[in-house]
Amino acid sequence: MTQSGLLDVLPLSPLQEGLLFHAVHDADEGSGGDGYTVQIVLRLDGHLRPAVLRAAAETLLDRHQNLRAAFLHEGMDQPVQVIPREIELPWEEIDLTETAGAGAEAAGAGAAGAGAAGAGAGAERRAACERVLEEERNRRFDPTDPPLLRFTLIRIGPDRHLLALTNHHILLDGWSYPVLLRELFELYAREGDDSHLPPVTPYRDYLAWLAARDRGTAEEGWRQALAGLEEPTLLAPAADPARPARRDRVALELPGDLTARLERWARDQGLTLGAVIQGAWAILLHRLTGRDDVVFGITTAGRPPELPGVESMVGLFINTVPVRITLDQDETLATLLDRVQKEHIRLLDRQYTGLTEVCQLAGHPRLFDSLVVVENYPMDPDAVCPPETGLRVTDISGHDGTHYPLGLVVFPGGTLRLRVDYRADVFDPATVESVLRRLSALLEAVVVDAGRCVGGVELVSVAERGVLLG
């Protein structure tokens, strides 16, 4: 990449620095896939014009310069991201419509035989799709070789496609995907012409805003918040945090009535769902570790409301920061959760500090190995694709990544969904399922009796108690 071919040279956000460290370390270790490869998959029904969709994706790279970034660090005091003037879009089209087709046609006459053959062909096609998607997730991105994203269009039937966007997390956060996908299909509806779209607020504006912040005040805030912390809170102290490992996940869905009661109680108390989840996770960490002073990580949105246009910007804005909660066993659940929320509000002014720097201020190389994420970005299939495209998004799924041994992801909705992503070399499914059940019991306890003391909460749900008592 020659200097004349560069459009811009930018610093990195705090989380980008951390993700670059992991990407470089994983590559040096020769560990295969990158733990921070993200994939979003859309199922599209309707007549689709692949060449037009590709042109729309190419326009996205023209509009959002930071999607073309390469990340350089060798021989530099500080890493930088460089933006090339021009770049080729990684785009691949795969046709799986003939997968197992011959077998289906030859599998006997009659409705029963044809139906069984069709089912077999469908299963084989699904397996082929998953192989393609998994191969894409396992193809490592080289941070120095942009762009760190790829599009794969898979034809699975007449007027049916899967569109996979695979990227390194260093480029995008969750809030960016709906923005990006809406633009993609608006561009598709207009043959890739972006003249009707508003100008892009560049990611460099956010980086400039970050650089202008008062770091001294934030650092002092972290010193105070973490003063006297004797040790980190580690659920898997022997696990090497830098070594990638196979991951698995377990999910649990709260009943609709419990979800509604929990949301209503939190609203009446002036509490956010995030504060309730954080307080419950702190109690769970106490029960698992025996410590009254616990720390875990959260992701913050990182989109400052005072920055014009920030809600429609595309890039990596989130940050990972520690939450420290001291537990008083005689304190009521309601009092604890109120205190958690007040501490979170105090955290807002210092949420842009890098985690490595925070750990240095606390005097510990690492502070936690569990992460709590409350997904708060809208990913409505109906809102992603406008009617004039002639297409309909019938499903959106995805894979994300993290290096923490245990990560809780909370999905708000009519039924609150809890998912734990975990390292399969450290935890077994039964243990993780037990963690989820205990967390569910804690949330149930909040609804049933928030005046109960923290130390008196039983981590067995009403349903489990009925089974145990016969």
Side-chain angles (χ1 to χ4, degrees), residues 36-89:
Y36 283 95
T37 297
V38 180
Q39 187 178 74
I40 301 293
V41 182
L42 287 75
R43 177 170 174 148
L44 302 171
D45 287 0
H47 177 66
L48 185 145
R49 296 172 293 165
V52 177
L53 188 60
R54 179 174 185 170
E58 289 172 339
T59 304
L60 280 182
L61 259 66
D62 290 338
R63 284 174 55 80
H64 300 279
Q65 298 176 3
N66 53 307
L67 296 182
R68 310 199 297 265
F71 295 82
L72 310 180
H73 70 284
E74 289 189 357
M76 300 178 177
D77 295 332
Q78 291 291 328
V80 297
Q81 49 185 315
V82 297
I83 313 297
R85 292 185 183 277
E86 296 181 358
I87 204 162
E88 183 177 350
L89 172 74

Side-chain angles (χ1 to χ4, degrees), residues 404-428:
Y404 294 101
L406 203 68
L408 170 68
V409 187
V410 180
F411 300 91
T415 57
L416 190 67
R417 184 165 174 261
L418 310 173
R419 191 186 80 203
V420 172
D421 300 335
Y422 63 95
R423 276 180 51 165
D425 64 325
V426 176
F427 300 102
D428 61 82

Side-chain angles (χ1 to χ4, degrees), residues 312-374:
S312 61
M313 292 172 69
V314 167
L316 187 71
F317 295 83
I318 61 170
N319 195 21
T320 300
V321 296
V323 172
R324 179 190 186 184
I325 298 176
T326 55
L327 294 163
D328 178 352
Q329 301 304 303
D330 295 325
E331 188 176 30
T332 67
L333 287 170
T335 304
L336 168 65
L337 298 179
D338 181 67
R339 183 162 57 86
V340 169
Q341 175 146 311
K342 289 176 179 175
E343 177 57 29
H344 178 73
I345 292 172
R346 284 193 290 269
L347 167 74
L348 294 178
D349 285 340
R350 56 181 187 264
Q351 66 175 299
Y352 303 97
T353 309
L355 183 57
T356 299
E357 187 177 352
V358 174
C359 290
Q360 292 172 347
L361 294 169
H364 298 285
R366 57 178 172 152
L367 294 170
F368 54 84
D369 66 358
S370 69
L371 185 70
V372 174
V373 180
V374 178

Side-chain angles (χ1 to χ4, degrees), residues 26-39:
D26 292 353
D28 290 344
E29 293 291 316
S31 56
D34 191 309
Y36 283 95
T37 297
V38 180
Q39 187 178 74

